[in-house]
Amino acid sequence: MTYREFNAYCAALPATTHVVQWGGAHVWKVGGKVFAIGGWERGSHPGITFKVSDIGWEILRDAPGCRPAPWLASRGMKWIQNHGPGLGKRELKQYLKASHALVAAGLSKRKRAELGL
């Protein structure tokens, strides 16, 4: 997945906002909370970071092309960085959508209603 495809997909998810921060990373948020980060390219594969469920963590933390996300996972958070050819476009989109849903579910009921979620 290219950064263009990553940004287009995240923009299509409901109630998202985009900022560029942390040294040029493409940061996607829902309700002001981060759900995906694109940055720190390694070769021809962009580094795409996203939040995962407990099951997703168990599946992806040792999967080829994936690793616990630097800075986030080291603080006990369940975030994965896809930094190689491990996940295909379809799989990566599914995980990005799930990350969006996980973060949105953690918002207050009022905030979700304001955002139409």
Side-chain angles (χ1 to χ4, degrees):
M1 174 180 279
T2 66
Y3 280 127
R4 180 176 285 177
E5 292 168 323
F6 166 74
N7 285 326
Y9 184 75
C10 289
L13 294 171
T16 60
T17 57
H18 173 257
V19 295
V20 176
Q21 60 189 68
W22 303 321
H26 297 263
V27 180
W28 285 92
K29 301 178 182 186
V30 58
K33 305 289 183 183
V34 176
F35 75 90
I37 305 166
W40 304 285
E41 193 167 323
R42 291 181 175 259
S44 62
H45 298 283
I48 296 176
T49 303
F50 48 92
K51 186 173 185 168
V52 292
S53 66
D54 292 341
I55 293 170
W57 175 258
E58 293 300 323
I59 292 168
L60 295 177
R61 70 179 176 184
D62 296 319
C66 294
R67 66 181 177 186
W71 296 99
L72 297 167
S74 66
R75 287 159 176 72
M77 296 182 237
K78 290 189 168 80
W79 285 73
I80 294 291
Q81 184 177 70
N82 183 64
H83 61 89
L87 295 175
K89 262 188 230 184
R90 185 173 179 220
E91 272 184 307
L92 190 51
K93 285 179 179 181
Q94 289 172 339
Y95 279 110
L96 290 169
K97 185 176 181 180
S99 179
H100 177 275
L102 281 168
V103 173
L107 299 173
S108 70
K109 196 177 215 181
R110 181 175 158 216
K111 187 69 169 178
R112 286 194 312 268
E114 285 175 14
L115 296 171
L117 299 171

